[in-house]
């Protein structure tokens, strides 16, 4: 099909704006020619489409095809997607599931080969992908890079398996993504010198500058829980060739509201040059990952957007391969039917499984301090409330019990305590619990925690909320991570359960997203896996787990 669009064009390559006619033939741009103002037919501004340069589609709770239906509304034409989450549950089958489902819709997914499955040896995952498996994935044309290398200690100590994975990616001229929160100085240099090209985990400008000066590209993250835009956006002025934007983890309700377009609008308000913003949002990721998405050039795929203006970036139309996939806030992509894959093997629990005998009750205990808007946590030591010989939650001091239930087998429940969740009643549970996706739960008492966990088990995955006799659950039967239902319906359900969680007293901006990261061992400082409390600085389980929290109610 041949047609043309006449409108005002933002040309990143010449750093100019002018009226132009964009001619499209069979999904490709065949010419871009200047025209007079009188010939302009389209309102708004034609510009390259947005790219999320690092995202776990699974965290949207939607399968790729449904993620695409929502994302195109906001002008996103492509993603750099790490299928790490489904891989930790379903292995190679999970990665291939994401690729094949993504192919069913007009959207440019670019998947990576997960580098750390399982992420650590200190948790129970559902699968493992060794260097041979990674090598097999990297051979595929559908795999564009080696996903975030979270095992930075393995890189620094030249672990044989880790180095084989990196070498396999380099051998195919595919980039290696990084993941090294807080790494600075000589360690950062050695990590980067191993051939790792990006990091999306910086949470201070000083850390990002350190890595930039060693040649690493920085991806500024603004997701549903981890928000680093304000701390890092100033770097775009000085390093426009080295900066990209990403969401990393985006819950469905916030994906309905906006995506990378929102970051562009915020960057404009900071006074950053529009062409530098476009470079970070549309161009740098396409070049770095050798993406098959177009960048509004002759002979490129006709992937571009029309926005109202370069202030709000409200999207009027989104084109992919010359096809209108979104218009005036409405997606034009149709839902597709999809099979269900999963791995869920644990039995329902009893309240006794969540009890902690009060051994050494006068001693201060390590407690996870959650931080709103951050993946990192702090370690604090405080006494735990005791009642009838058991450690219990204390809503007055906001120290609540947290537990992780192994979803892959019937094993003892790991328990600890957490501060800053701020529930006053009830419990929250989720089978979205990075990286191994066991069931994580926090609550004010053992009965509520047990009910919340059992709701998730009955649905073979999901997020749940308990408030007295009231309960709510959003089922996520695809790997215990995603729903294959209509994305807007899932977003509506998530909005409702998020509101319920906040009615319980939580003041977190995204309670379920924050909860999901409390089992993320590769982010310092203190986390909880199904095997116990984990010190992210020393990369080891704490002795206190073996001496106190592992004890069962039968004691």
């Amino acid at each position: 099909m041949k047609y043309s669009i006449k409108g005002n064009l933002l040309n990143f390559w010449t750093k100019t704006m002018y009226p132009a006619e964009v001619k499209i033939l069979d999904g490709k741009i065949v010419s871009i020619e200047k025209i007079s103002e009188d010939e302009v037919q389209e309102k708004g501004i034609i510009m390259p489409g947005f790219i999320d340069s690092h995202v776990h589609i699974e965290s949207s709770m939607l399968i790729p095809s449904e993620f695409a239906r929502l994302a195109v509304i906001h002008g996103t034409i492509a993603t750099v997607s790490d299928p790490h989450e489904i891989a930790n549950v379903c292995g190679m089958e999970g990665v291939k599931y994401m690729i094949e489902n993504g192919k069913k819709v007009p959207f440019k997914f670019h998947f990576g080969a997960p580098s750390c499955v399982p992420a650590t040896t200190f948790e129970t995952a559902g699968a493992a992908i060794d260097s041979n498996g990674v090598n097999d994935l990297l051979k595929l044309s559908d795999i564009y890079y080696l996903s975030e290398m979270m095992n930075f200690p393995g890189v620094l100590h030249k672990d044989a398996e880790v180095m084989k994975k990196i070498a396999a990616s380099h051998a195919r001229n595919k980039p290696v993504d990084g993941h090294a929160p807080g790494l600075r100085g000589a360690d950062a240099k050695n990590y980067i010198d191993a051939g790792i090209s990006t990091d999306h985990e910086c949470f201070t400008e000083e850390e990002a500058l350190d890595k930039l000066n060693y040649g690493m590209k920085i991806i500024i993250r603004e997701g549903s829980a981890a928000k680093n835009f304000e701390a890092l956006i100033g770097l775009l002025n000085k390093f426009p060739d080295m900066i990209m934007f990403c969401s990393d983890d985006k819950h469905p309700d916030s994906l309905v509201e906006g995506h990378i377009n929102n970051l562009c609008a915020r960057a404009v308000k900071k006074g950053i040059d529009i062409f530098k913003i476009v470079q970070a949002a549309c161009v740098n990721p396409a070049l770095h990952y050798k993406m098959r998405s177009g960048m509004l050039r002759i002979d490129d795929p006709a992937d571009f957007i029309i926005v109202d203006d370069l202030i709000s970036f409200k999207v009027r139309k989104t084109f992919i391969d010359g096809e209108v996939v979104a218009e005036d806030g409405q997606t034009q992509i149709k839902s597709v039917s999809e099979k269900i894959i999963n791995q869920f093997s644990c039995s329902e629990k009893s309240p006794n499984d969540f009890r902690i005998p009060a051994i050494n009750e006068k001693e201060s205990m390590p407690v996870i301090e959650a931080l709103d808007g951050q993946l990192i946590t702090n370690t604090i030591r405080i006494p735990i409330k005791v009642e009838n010989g058991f450690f219990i939650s204390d809503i007055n001091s906001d120290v609540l019990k947290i537990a992780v239930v192994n979803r892959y087998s019937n094993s003892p429940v790991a328990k600890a305590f957490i501060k800053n969740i701020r529930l006053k009643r009830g419990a929250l549970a989720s089978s979205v619990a990075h990286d191994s996706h066991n069931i994580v739960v926090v609550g004010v008492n053992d009965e509520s925690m047990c009910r919340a966990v059992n709701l998730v088990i009955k649905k073979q995955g999901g997020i749940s909320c308990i408030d007295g006799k009231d309960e709510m659950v959003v089922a996520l039967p695809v790997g215990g991570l995603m729903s294959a239902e209509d994305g807007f319906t899932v977003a509506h359900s998530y909005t409702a359960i998020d509101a319920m969680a906040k009615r319980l007293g939580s003041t977190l901006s995204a309670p379920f997203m924050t909860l999901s990261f409390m089992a993320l061992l590769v982010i310092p400082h203190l986390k909880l896996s199904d095997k116990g409390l984990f010190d992210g600085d020393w990369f080891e389980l704490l002795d206190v787990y073996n001496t106190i929290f592992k004890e069962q109610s039968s004691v």
Side-chain angles (χ1 to χ4, degrees), residues 15 26 61 72 83 86 98 106 112 142 180-181 211 348 377 389 396 404 420 495 498 535 539:
K15 304 296 189 292
D26 296 333
M61 302 184 181
V72 293
I86 192 70
M98 302 293 279
D142 295 310
K211 292 172 178 173
E348 292 185 26
T377 58
N396 293 325
V404 175
N420 285 348
T495 298
D498 177 72
D535 187 320
F539 227 68

Side-chain angles (χ1 to χ4, degrees), residues 301-533:
D303 307 330
F304 59 90
I305 61 178
I306 302 175
V307 297
D308 278 348
D309 53 57
L310 299 176
I311 298 173
S312 69
F313 291 91
K314 182 179 178 181
V315 177
R316 301 175 66 87
K317 292 182 182 180
T318 303
F319 296 78
I320 296 180
D321 290 331
E323 175 185 349
V324 177
V325 293
E327 185 170 8
D328 295 330
Q330 300 295 315
T331 188
Q332 304 299 309
I333 299 177
K334 304 299 183 184
S335 291
V336 299
S337 60
E338 193 54 271
K339 64 181 181 180
I340 301 297
I341 64 170
N342 206 345
Q343 190 172 182
F344 226 101
S345 303
C346 66
S347 302
E348 292 185 26
K349 304 303 175 185
S350 74
N352 285 349
D353 291 317
F354 298 89
R355 298 200 299 179
I356 306 174
I359 302 171
N360 299 329
E361 61 182 84
K362 293 183 180 180
E363 293 185 7
S364 295
M365 300 296 176
V367 171
I368 301 167
E369 184 181 35
L371 303 174
D372 196 15
Q374 298 291 343
L375 303 191
I376 61 168
T377 58
N378 290 329
T379 302
I380 57 177
R381 295 189 70 91
I382 53 178
I384 304 299
K385 186 176 181 179
V386 177
E387 187 176 278
N388 298 323
F390 292 92
F391 289 121
I392 64 168
S393 294
D394 184 355
I395 58 174
N396 293 325
S397 61
D398 183 34
V399 177
L400 304 179
K401 189 180 291 183
I402 183 171
V404 175
V405 177
N406 184 331
R407 66 180 275 191
Y408 304 105
S409 65
N410 289 315
S411 303
V413 174
K415 293 148 295 201
F417 287 88
I418 188 167
K419 189 173 179 63
N420 285 348
I421 302 299
R422 298 190 179 93
L423 298 184
K424 299 300 182 183
R425 59 186 188 272
L428 311 177
S430 174
S431 60
V432 180
H434 306 279
D435 280 311
S436 294
H437 300 293
N438 292 296
I439 306 169
V440 61
V441 59
V442 64
V444 304
N445 56 56
D446 299 337
E447 291 73 20
S448 295
M449 293 173 72
C450 182
R451 284 179 58 202
V453 166
N454 286 342
L455 278 176
V456 172
I457 293 173
K458 287 176 183 176
K459 294 294 185 180
Q460 296 288 279
I463 57 174
S464 66
C465 186
I466 298 294
D467 182 7
K469 293 183 180 180
D470 295 332
E471 59 186 40
M472 187 180 297
V473 61
V474 177
L476 303 173
V478 182
L481 302 171
M482 297 170 283
S483 170
E485 300 299 315
D486 173 80
F488 296 95
T489 300
V490 177
H492 178 77
S493 298
Y494 177 81
T495 298
I497 199 170
D498 177 72
M500 183 178 181
K502 291 171 180 174
R503 288 196 298 271
L504 299 184
S506 179
T507 58
L508 295 170
S509 56
F512 284 101
M513 185 69 86
T514 296
L515 180 63
S516 74
F517 289 120
M518 294 305 100
L520 182 54
L521 307 190
V522 295
I523 299 288
H525 296 279
L526 187 65
K527 297 292 171 67
L528 181 69
S529 83
D530 67 295
K531 296 183 179 181
L533 271 172

Side-chain angles (χ1 to χ4, degrees), residues 145-146 170 174-179 191-200 211-212 215-219 242 244 288-289:
Y145 67 108
L146 182 65
H170 290 162
K174 296 181 179 182
V176 179
D177 267 8
H179 173 116
Y191 181 73
I192 295 163
D193 285 348
I196 297 174
S197 59
T198 68
D199 197 358
H200 59 277
K211 292 172 178 173
L212 283 164
M216 176 175 268
K217 295 177 181 176
I218 297 300
I219 305 177
M242 304 286 284
M244 297 177 256
H288 180 75
Y289 293 99

Side-chain angles (χ1 to χ4, degrees), residues 71-305:
V72 293
I73 291 172
H74 309 299
T76 303
I77 60 164
T79 60
V80 180
S81 305
D82 179 3
H84 170 89
E85 316 306 338
I86 192 70
N88 267 277
V89 176
C90 298
M92 300 280 274
E93 179 189 9
V95 176
K96 292 175 181 178
Y97 177 95
M98 302 293 279
I99 292 171
E100 293 308 313
N101 176 256
K103 288 180 176 180
K104 295 181 179 181
V105 291
F107 191 85
K108 304 292 178 73
F109 290 104
H110 297 76
F111 288 103
S115 66
C116 300
V117 180
T120 74
T121 59
F122 302 102
E123 56 198 310
T124 303
I129 301 178
D130 62 11
S131 58
N132 291 326
V134 166
N135 188 49
D136 289 341
L137 285 173
L138 287 165
K139 292 176 183 177
L140 302 177
S141 60
D142 295 310
I143 295 293
Y144 285 79
Y145 67 108
L146 182 65
S147 299
E148 51 185 313
M149 179 47 73
M150 296 182 292
N151 187 2
F152 63 83
V155 176
L156 297 178
H157 294 97
K158 300 189 184 306
D159 176 86
E161 270 288 289
V162 168
M163 302 315 288
K164 285 179 183 177
K165 294 172 183 177
I166 294 172
S169 193
H170 290 162
R172 289 169 178 79
N173 199 27
K174 296 181 179 182
V176 179
D177 267 8
H179 173 116
L183 205 64
R184 301 285 301 275
D187 283 344
K189 184 178 186 303
N190 290 335
Y191 181 73
I192 295 163
D193 285 348
I196 297 174
S197 59
T198 68
D199 197 358
H200 59 277
E201 292 291 347
C202 296
F203 47 88
T204 68
E205 185 175 279
E206 293 75 19
E207 178 190 351
L209 274 171
D210 216 17
K211 292 172 178 173
L212 283 164
N213 288 330
Y214 290 129
M216 176 175 268
K217 295 177 181 176
I218 297 300
I219 305 177
I220 298 177
R221 171 177 59 193
E222 190 78 356
S224 295
K227 301 179 184 295
N228 309 124
F229 180 90
E230 290 297 328
L232 303 179
I233 188 58
L235 296 168
L236 182 53
N237 280 315
K238 188 175 180 181
F239 301 93
D241 297 335
M242 304 286 284
I243 302 294
M244 297 177 256
F245 292 150
C246 83
S247 65
D248 196 4
D249 295 285
K250 191 86 166 166
H251 266 177
D253 58 334
S254 56
L255 183 59
V256 168
E257 294 173 0
H259 200 189
I260 302 301
N261 59 320
N262 287 351
L263 300 188
C264 293
R266 289 171 62 182
V268 165
K269 289 182 179 179
K270 299 286 185 182
I272 297 174
D273 177 78
I274 185 61
F275 291 105
K276 291 181 180 179
I277 296 169
V278 170
Q279 186 170 0
C282 313
V283 176
N284 285 344
L287 296 176
H288 180 75
Y289 293 99
K290 303 179 181 68
M291 299 172 74
R292 53 189 170 83
S293 51
M295 292 178 280
L296 203 51
R297 300 175 299 187
I298 295 172
D299 293 330
D300 272 4
D303 307 330
F304 59 90
I305 61 178

